[in-house]
Amino acid sequence: MTALHPTIGQQLRAWRERCGLSQLDLALAADVSARHLSFVETGRAQPGRDLLLRLMAELQVSLRERNLALTASGFAPVFPMRGYQDPSFEQIRAFINAALERQKPFPAYVLDRHWSVVAWNGAVPELSAGVSPALLAPPVNVFRLVLHPDGYGERLLNRGAWRARIMSRLRRQIRLSNDPTLIALLEEISSYPDAGTTSAPPEEDGPTIPIQIVTSLGRLSFLSATTIFGNPVDVALEEIALEMLYPADAATDEAVRAAQASALR
């Protein structure tokens, strides 16, 4: 009979194979004998707490998964998981808020692991003009906003390319986490009308995919850059990212700056 849930040994083996490491490679990195690691993976031995933490650190397992693996092995979780508004995050929020403000007049967002907006700087509200109010109700999911027919819809000029990119990213995350929320999101996005035949603008030949959308300011094109926190020791902090949009061409830069100047008059 096949177990409904993988054992800790099976999980370690899956994580090791995902990293492309042999048992000997991992054993040397984690300061354990290859024989003992083999016994752990096959269930003939149970890893202690410290060994389990060393192995997961070498395998770059997420903090959330490390906590779950520890709990499943009978140990207490090690890494705290505080909400973004927790008082202990005050310094982090101050840094993020400053970054959001400096990014103006261009958009910037804080996203969680499910691609929902935790905070944003309110720049270029024209991007959300015409979007269904239901999609703008918190928490706003950026993948849903971009691809839903009542979101950016046909205004997104390279929607086919973004649909392929988003679905590929979700599948990769699901392979690593098996997160039910991400699975449901992928299923939902897969049910949207296929825009795979949408013509891609010439800029699509570049090294990255811009977001190209028609707005009341004209055709806007942005490139995105993502910032994550190094060496996090909190689950929530590891799982948030700061996404910043930069103008991909001079016309976008000029249109956005002109709109901001007009709004300030």
Side-chain angles (χ1 to χ4, degrees):
M1 179 180 295
T2 302
L4 293 177
H5 301 287
T7 65
I8 186 59
Q10 291 169 331
Q11 285 182 288
L12 287 168
R13 179 176 179 178
W15 289 326
R16 175 176 61 76
E17 292 176 345
R18 182 188 71 193
C19 292
L21 296 175
S22 68
Q23 284 186 340
L24 180 58
D25 291 333
L26 179 57
L28 290 173
D31 193 25
V32 63
S33 73
R35 178 182 176 85
H36 185 59
L37 177 58
S38 176
F39 282 5
V40 168
E41 289 190 355
T42 58
R44 296 175 66 183
Q46 292 299 312
R49 174 183 174 277
D50 291 344
L51 174 58
L52 185 54
L53 284 170
R54 292 204 309 274
L55 291 170
M56 291 190 291
E58 292 296 334
L59 295 171
Q60 299 181 343
V61 176
S62 73
L63 301 186
R64 179 181 294 271
E65 288 181 293
R66 293 187 209 185
N67 274 349
L68 291 174
L70 286 167
T71 301
S73 300
F75 304 112
V78 170
F79 304 99
M81 185 170 64
R82 292 162 282 205
Y84 182 72
Q85 298 300 330
D86 190 278
S88 63
F89 272 26
E90 182 177 357
Q91 186 175 5
I92 296 295
R93 286 196 306 275
F95 165 79
I96 290 175
N97 290 338
L100 292 174
E101 190 64 25
R102 284 196 300 269
Q103 182 64 7
K104 291 179 177 178
F106 305 108
Y109 313 85
V110 179
L111 304 175
D112 66 16
R113 68 192 181 104
H114 294 140
W115 300 95
S116 292
V117 176
V118 175
W120 74 300
N121 66 357
V124 195
E126 292 83 1
L127 287 172
S128 57
V131 173
S132 168
L135 294 177
L136 296 176
V140 176
N141 184 275
V142 293
F143 284 176
R144 190 176 287 120
L145 180 69
V146 168
L147 295 183
H148 195 284
D150 295 330
Y152 287 172
E154 297 303 320
R155 293 192 300 126
L156 183 61
L157 298 178
N158 51 352
R159 184 162 165 246
W162 272 93
R163 183 177 190 272
R165 179 175 185 262
I166 285 172
M167 292 180 70
S168 175
R169 178 170 289 186
L170 281 174
R171 290 190 183 102
R172 183 167 63 250
Q173 281 187 269
I174 290 168
R175 282 197 300 271
L176 298 177
S177 67
N178 200 34
D179 188 304
T181 300
L182 294 177
I183 293 172
L185 182 60
L186 177 61
E187 291 175 350
E188 178 187 333
I189 289 174
S190 299
S191 72
Y192 297 164
D194 188 355
T197 57
T198 302
S199 297
E203 290 87 343
E204 212 78 341
D205 294 333
T208 187
I209 301 175
I211 185 163
Q212 299 176 344
I213 184 170
V214 175
T215 73
S216 61
L217 303 180
R219 172 185 169 277
L220 301 181
S221 182
F222 295 99
L223 296 175
S224 65
T226 303
T227 299
I228 59 174
F229 288 90
N231 305 312
V233 292
D234 184 282
V235 175
L237 186 60
E238 182 185 53
E239 294 178 344
I240 62 173
L242 179 60
E243 189 89 4
M244 296 185 173
L245 299 187
Y246 295 91
D249 53 41
T252 298
D253 189 292
E254 293 169 4
V256 171
R257 291 186 187 278
Q260 183 199 39
S262 177
L264 292 176
R265 284 202 291 265

